[in-house]
Amino acid sequence: MKISAFFSVLLVTGFVIGSCKKKPVDPDTNGTGYASMEVYKENAMGVIYNQATNSVAYNKPDADGTYKIYISNYDGTGEVQLTYPGWASNRHQWAEEWDPSGQYLYCYVEKTDYVTESGHTRTPEDAIPGYGAYTDLWIIKRDGSQAWQMTNFPNDYDHGIIHGAISQDGTMFTWTERIQAPVFLDLNLAAGAYVFKVADVSWNPDPVFSNIRTYQPGNVAAGGEVESISPSKTDILVYSTFESHNLVATPIYRIDLATGNTTKLTTESFSQAPTYTPNGQKIVYMTGADCDIFPGQLQGADWWIMDANGNNKKRLTYMNKKNHPQSVNSYRLAGSLSFINDSTFIGGVMTQSLGLTGYSALVKF
């Protein structure tokens, strides 16, 4: 899972949530039709699947809590750490998206140099993946032999990068760019203000970004994240606080890339991580809708599915339903996901709100 800005707010609040491992659960056969779930990788964050190589990239912290990138075969064999000599070993490195060929990986890498700035003193926590300050976008070859820095944001607390997505053909990349630091006790900007960037990608022979476009719903400062590009490359899926002004009440929107117009797809609870199925007919997302809140804990989130136009919403998982076979009667936060096919994905599940603690689940529906 790519860690969300919503989760970043939980980091700031300091709530501690109980933890319990997940057991495989088969699909229901009595008519409720929930998805099957099983643990795919323990303690692996942000797993992304590449079909061309039948492999995955993911992220794990070292002994100091600094995230590093790993690659393995889909079956878990052949794990290797991926890094580059130009990256400082004591800075966060995060796998974000595969180029469809599987030979290049889009990564988020924390800036090396600490600089003096007014009003804020940088800490390692500022660049935790998903929080995004002091972080740039890179592309690295699968074997680590070469890497290219694609952005060079100002080295300050107001700037950085979080969630991104790549088109199915690899010719377009979109990312969530931070333009303002978090504002304490402001639910709209508790994780900062962001805009959505979309670039065309070409190779000549090095990677080149061109035709970079900026989208800011409502033209107002707001929180949010981009998660998916449509197979047709005509729109992106995001969540945003530009109307709700509340990071725990976030609708999902489609943004038309030609016009910039937004279409609201959800209204219930907080909803995030909207991701097109490979055929573009459905969207899987996470939401707190209908989730039970366990005593002394925060509201969690489960995965749901809807048609691409927002109709026919259906719950897929029941991790936050008391006494359900998929529940351990404790907070679970479903997160971002990577599709293997139209009915199978790998998604992140957070088991605590303090620290990036959780696992990656294999979900079939």
Side-chain angles (χ1 to χ4, degrees):
M1 147 181 88
K2 308 167 199 170
I3 309 305
S4 73
F6 171 80
F7 178 69
S8 299
V9 171
L10 302 188
L11 283 173
V12 173
T13 61
F15 287 106
V16 179
I17 306 302
S19 174
C20 185
K21 288 187 177 181
K22 195 78 197 48
K23 297 184 295 184
V25 177
D26 291 327
D28 198 355
T29 56
N30 62 9
T32 59
Y34 56 84
S36 70
M37 289 183 65
E38 61 180 282
V39 173
Y40 175 70
K41 280 187 181 293
E42 292 277 13
N43 303 316
M45 303 290 108
V47 176
I48 47 176
Y49 175 73
N50 177 254
Q51 185 178 52
T53 59
N54 195 33
S55 63
V56 291
Y58 47 94
N59 311 279
K60 297 190 295 185
D62 62 18
D64 296 325
T66 304
Y67 276 85
K68 302 296 172 57
I69 300 168
Y70 293 83
I71 295 176
S72 77
N73 298 319
Y74 174 69
D75 64 7
T77 61
E79 180 181 271
V80 294
Q81 183 182 342
L82 177 62
T83 191
Y84 181 67
W87 298 348
S89 61
N90 58 347
R91 300 290 185 265
H92 294 296
Q93 302 164 17
W94 185 268
E96 185 66 12
E97 287 284 9
W98 282 107
D99 176 83
S101 68
Q103 301 309 307
Y104 302 95
L105 192 64
Y106 288 70
C107 307
Y108 293 162
V109 181
E110 182 185 357
K111 292 177 180 289
T112 300
D113 295 333
Y114 274 55
V115 299
T116 300
E117 55 187 308
S118 175
H120 182 75
T121 300
R122 177 175 166 182
T123 68
E125 288 72 27
D126 292 331
I128 287 175
Y131 206 48
Y134 309 101
T135 301
D136 279 301
L137 170 64
W138 288 67
I139 297 175
I140 185 172
K141 292 186 71 171
R142 182 187 185 92
D143 62 5
S145 63
Q146 195 169 3
W148 300 267
Q149 184 174 347
M150 305 304 295
T151 65
N152 188 17
F153 304 124
N155 192 2
D156 60 40
Y157 194 43
D158 280 323
H159 293 88
I161 186 170
I162 53 173
H163 284 225
I166 194 168
S167 62
Q168 289 183 356
D169 64 1
T171 64
M172 184 180 290
F173 188 80
T174 180
W175 67 91
T176 310
E177 187 171 318
R178 180 155 147 175
I179 59 171
Q180 181 181 336
V183 179
F184 186 60
L185 297 182
D186 181 340
L187 280 178
N188 181 37
L189 302 177
Y194 298 85
V195 296
F196 308 120
K197 298 277 190 172
V198 179
D200 294 337
V201 183
S202 59
W203 293 79
N204 189 33
D206 297 336
V208 176
F209 281 175
S210 62
N211 190 27
I212 300 175
R213 292 144 279 173
T214 302
Y215 299 87
Q216 186 177 30
N219 293 315
V220 298
E225 295 169 334
V226 64
E227 195 74 31
S228 188
I229 301 175
S230 64
S232 63
K233 299 189 292 185
T234 57
D235 62 82
I236 55 175
L237 297 177
V238 308
Y239 81 80
S240 176
T241 65
F242 85 98
E243 290 182 314
S244 70
H245 308 294
N246 188 339
L247 197 58
V248 293
T250 49
I252 288 170
Y253 300 88
R254 175 188 296 111
I255 299 180
D256 185 290
L257 295 181
T259 66
N261 292 337
T262 61
T263 302
K264 184 186 292 186
L265 300 179
T266 65
T267 57
E268 68 281 0
S269 185
F270 65 89
S271 299
Q272 299 181 10
T275 307
Y276 279 110
T277 54
N279 61 18
Q281 296 179 6
K282 302 284 185 179
I283 297 169
V284 173
Y285 62 105
M286 62 86 100
T287 178
D290 300 335
C291 286
D292 291 338
I293 301 176
F294 301 105
Q297 301 184 348
L298 299 178
Q299 179 179 315
D302 273 284
W303 283 297
W304 286 57
I305 192 170
M306 60 182 168
D307 293 343
N309 62 7
N311 292 337
N312 299 318
K313 294 179 174 66
K314 176 185 176 183
R315 189 171 184 172
L316 291 178
T317 63
Y318 288 79
M319 295 180 290
N320 294 280
K321 182 70 172 178
K322 185 178 180 182
N323 296 329
H324 191 276
Q326 288 186 336
S327 175
V328 293
N329 291 337
S330 186
Y331 164 97
R332 291 294 181 268
L333 185 70
S336 298
L337 55 109
S338 177
F339 275 101
I340 297 173
N341 55 51
D342 287 319
S343 60
T344 307
F345 64 83
I346 302 170
V349 179
M350 301 308 301
T351 59
Q352 296 185 16
S353 66
L354 184 60
L356 304 186
T357 302
Y359 61 91
S360 295
L362 184 67
V363 180
K364 299 179 181 181
F365 58 94

